[in-house]
Amino acid sequence: NQASAQDYAVAQQNLGKAFFLGTLGSKDFDMALYWTSRAATAGYPEAEYLLGYMLFEKDKDDDVDDSPE
């Protein structure tokens, strides 16, 4: 049933967000991406938004030049 599938997507998105923010301990981008992607694939709009935000933040971090001059 669609309602239970939506509840499952909410739980996946919440887990992804917890890994992204480090709520469960240390931050884990790979696990955050995994769980948030599953929820987004299920069509959960908040997860779709969070996934885009996560990827934007990762891309922004990758653009920072950490090398010494």
Side-chain angles (χ1 to χ4, degrees):
N1 114 6
Q2 192 175 24
S4 64
Q6 191 68 10
D7 289 342
Y8 192 61
V10 172
Q12 291 171 332
Q13 187 264 343
N14 288 339
L15 191 53
K17 186 175 182 179
F19 277 114
F20 182 67
L21 297 175
T23 306
L24 302 174
S26 61
K27 294 180 181 183
D28 187 333
F29 184 79
D30 292 333
M31 289 300 293
L33 187 63
Y34 173 78
W35 287 111
T36 306
S37 294
R38 289 185 60 123
T41 300
Y44 186 55
E46 289 182 35
E48 293 169 354
Y49 173 82
L50 179 60
L51 182 60
Y53 178 78
M54 288 169 47
L55 293 172
F56 173 78
E57 287 298 312
K58 179 167 179 8
D59 187 47
K60 194 168 72 172
D61 289 344
D62 288 345
D63 290 341
V64 175
D65 184 9
D66 293 335
S67 60
E69 295 186 26

